[in-house]
Every structure is written in C-alpha cells, then in structure tokens.
Amino acid sequence: MASVRRLHLFDLDGTLIRGSAAAVEISRQLGLSAEIAELESHFFSRGMAPDEFAVQARALWADLTMEQVSAAFDGAPWLAGIHEVWADIRSQGDYCAVISLSPDFFVRRLLDWGAHAAHGSRWPVPPFTEPVDRAGILNPAAKVEIANRLCAEFGVSLDDCVAYGDSMSDAEIFAAVPRAVAVNADHHLSGLATHTYSGGDLREAYELVCPAR
C-alpha cells in the first residue's frame, strides 16, 4: 500500500528566521530598527490588526529598493538545514509550503530554496508606487484557508499536514492539523503543539515528526 503523502506547512517569522522577522530584517537595511520595534510592539501587545501593521510598515519603507530586500533576505538569521529538510521532503514524495503574514516579495524567495509553494501577504513590489491593499494582507485565519487550498492542489487533507510555527499567528493552523511542531515558540502555542523544539537547526525539528530513515 502506498504511504500517505504529507504536506509540511512552515511559518516564516520566528520559525524559519530565528529571533527575527522579515519586517525587522528589512527595517534594519533602512536604519529603522527602533521604528519597526515600536510598530511590532503595537502588533504583538496591543492588538494591532495585520493590515494596519502593513499600512504603517509601508509608510516606514517608502524608500525601500529590491536590492535592500535581497540584502535583508540574505542577512537574516535563518535556521540551519532548511535546504536539506525541504530536499528530504521532496525525496519522500511529500510537499512543503511556507505561509506567512510577511510581504510576498520576501516570502516568495523561498521557492528557490525548495518550497513547493510560498504564500505571503500581497504587497506592491518595491520601489513602491502604490499603497498597500488591505484586502491582500493575510491574517491567522488565512493560514488555514491557504492550507486547505494547498491540500486540494496536492491531493492531501489537513489530516495529512504538519505545521511548524512559533507564535499567536500560528495558533489557528496548529488547531487545524493533527501534528504541529512549536519551533522556538512563545506561550501562545502552549498546549497546541504535539512537539516542541528549541534550537537553531530545522533538521532537528523535522526529525521530531520524521525520524531519520
């Protein structure tokens, strides 16, 4: 009997990027670390909606260029082993996808690392000539909606999914799938994860659900 294929769903900020986020890395390139820290405090502690965060971040990043986006991506503190994990997932006939609230112009770069799909919030491409469309900004519930679409595309079900995340924005997807790995996570995922990992290597987190064969 053929084995059931799995879909591995990865968050980006705080999960694949340890202790940081796309917005933080982009802002660092612009010399706006203090300003994005203040904005993130409103988002995490004071209930700012993701679309409002995006609108305000867009204002901060008025002079952003794609060269700075590339530098932010290349300089981010990525977990070790991402390429290797995704290569192994592919070799098993399984699927891997990234679903993130961060800008799609950053998230989509992970397709080159081996992800089958990479979904982020819909932003205009830098240098910006248009405002952020609030309707295109993802929220935590959208992660489940996108996961369902990916399941239909790949011919699997949510029962065949594994989620990897670190924070409140991952709680809904953790609740929707049978296996979830909290990666360097905060208290919002307590009790929702089937596995917990703290460290700097995605291969070790992956082994919790897919032991070495």
Side-chain angles (χ1 to χ4, degrees), residues 151-176:
C151 284
E153 178 182 344
F154 296 135
V156 301
S157 73
L158 280 180
D159 287 340
D160 306 319
C161 292
V162 182
Y164 304 76
D166 75 301
S167 67
M168 178 173 55
S169 69
D170 303 304
E172 293 193 39
I173 190 65
F174 269 43

Side-chain angles (χ1 to χ4, degrees), residues 47-83:
M48 177 183 284
D51 63 331
E52 180 60 25
F53 179 92
V55 167
Q56 295 197 31
R58 157 69 175 79
L60 278 180
W61 300 343
D63 298 323
L64 182 65
T65 67
M66 286 305 293
E67 289 75 18
Q68 289 168 319
V69 173
S70 295
F73 185 91
D74 293 341
W78 298 99
L79 289 191
I82 295 173
H83 296 80

Side-chain angles (χ1 to χ4, degrees), residues 106-184:
F106 191 97
V107 179
R108 284 198 307 266
R109 290 168 176 258
L110 290 167
L111 293 171
D112 292 336
W113 287 18
H116 287 92
H119 291 267
S121 292
R122 190 172 66 248
W123 275 62
V125 175
F128 301 130
T129 58
E130 305 168 7
V132 166
D133 178 4
R134 289 178 183 264
I137 303 303
L138 303 184
N139 57 34
K143 289 193 171 189
V144 180
E145 296 169 7
I146 292 170
N148 274 305
R149 294 205 303 269
L150 291 172
C151 284
E153 178 182 344
F154 296 135
V156 301
S157 73
L158 280 180
D159 287 340
D160 306 319
C161 292
V162 182
Y164 304 76
D166 75 301
S167 67
M168 178 173 55
S169 69
D170 303 304
E172 293 193 39
I173 190 65
F174 269 43
V177 303
R179 291 172 297 278
V181 185
V183 180
N184 299 316

